Amino acid sequence: MCDKELLGRLRLAAEARLSAPRLAHTLGVEAEALRLAAHHGLSEEETAHLRAAALLHDITKELSPEDHLKLCEKWDILLDCETVSCPAVLHQFTGAAVAAREFALPEAVCAAIRTHTTGGWEMDAIARILYLADLLEPGRPFAGNAEICELRAMAEEDLCRACLVQMRRDIRRLRELGRRVHPLTEAACAAMEREYMRRR
Ligand SMILES: [Fe+2]
Ligand SMILES: [Fe+2]
């Protein structure tokens, strides 16, 4: 369980390790995540886990690629070549390791951090909300554009559909740019598609 004292320590860690703009983003994600958690009726425990995940989700984002790799070595984090060649994704794995190794946070928290950029095979409500809140927090430069407003409305209505739509958008955008899509994003999209179609 993430109690008040632990959440306070996580907030202090974020304040100590992040630049002012990244800290503002992190606190924005925490607030957006809490709003969605209340809207979707998450339990007190799930909400505390979500809050911990939001506070730590970008905790290693400002490390150099070399420092990321050092952390991977120190904590035996195995990365595939897709991830090693994608610096924007590395921080979700090292961030999850900080949550597990340094703060002994439960797997639900670590898993949400581990999938917040790419998505993943299995995403519970905590992981889905973190993934969406990371995009929806109002400090983002793209806040207020039509796609994001649409995503916000969808996130309130149906977390699965909102994640699915956003993952499809990401995949399309990356393909248009001729960039590789991370296999985890393809897997996450396929899993969300299956769940969404099953329910219809
Ligand atoms: Fe991130
Ligand atoms: Fe973020």
Side-chain angles (χ1 to χ4, degrees):
M1 180 70 180
C2 300
D3 57 24
K4 244 184 168 174
E5 188 270 335
L6 177 56
L7 289 170
R9 277 200 294 131
L10 301 181
R11 187 179 282 256
L12 285 178
E15 285 169 4
R17 297 180 204 185
L18 299 177
S19 64
R22 183 92 52 207
L23 178 63
H25 162 69
T26 293
L27 299 179
V29 172
E30 182 193 17
E32 187 66 25
L34 285 178
R35 194 184 66 77
L36 284 170
H39 183 83
H40 288 286
L42 264 63
S43 69
E44 204 180 313
E45 185 178 38
E46 286 172 319
T47 303
H49 285 170
L50 178 57
R51 200 165 191 172
L55 286 168
L56 288 190
H57 82 284
D58 277 345
I59 197 74
T60 58
K61 186 139 185 183
E62 291 172 343
L63 296 181
S64 65
E66 295 73 37
D67 284 341
H68 272 115
L69 296 178
K70 272 187 210 153
L71 278 187
C72 292
E73 223 173 87
K74 179 177 163 197
W75 284 329
D76 287 328
I77 306 167
L78 292 176
L79 298 174
D80 53 37
C81 46
E82 302 281 353
T83 303
V84 173
S85 60
C86 189
V89 167
L90 263 180
H91 77 285
Q92 70 180 18
F93 298 101
T94 48
V98 167
R101 304 288 191 120
E102 212 183 313
F103 294 99
L105 293 175
E107 175 54 20
V109 177
C110 305
I113 297 173
R114 203 182 295 120
T115 55
H116 81 268
T117 310
T118 56
W121 272 112
E122 283 180 18
M123 293 174 78
D124 62 10
I126 298 170
R128 291 174 194 205
I129 291 178
L130 180 62
Y131 173 82
L132 293 166
D134 193 25
L135 297 159
L136 294 175
E137 70 93 358
R140 287 287 216 178
F142 43 74
N145 81 19
E147 273 195 358
I148 289 294
C149 293
E150 192 193 22
L151 187 68
R152 179 169 287 105
M154 269 188 282
E156 286 175 7
E157 212 177 288
D158 183 340
L159 293 172
C160 173
R161 178 159 173 254
C163 288
L164 175 57
V165 166
Q166 183 57 34
M167 285 164 187
R168 281 179 175 161
R169 282 176 182 166
D170 276 350
I171 290 173
R172 196 185 54 230
R173 217 167 280 143
L174 287 168
R175 288 197 177 131
E176 279 169 7
L177 292 169
R179 285 169 50 192
R180 282 223 297 269
V181 177
H182 196 284
L184 275 174
T185 305
E186 301 207 358
C189 191
M192 290 289 169
E193 245 157 33
R194 263 197 308 278
E195 179 184 324
Y196 186 63
M197 297 312 274
R198 226 183 6 245
R199 282 195 341 222
R200 293 186 77 197

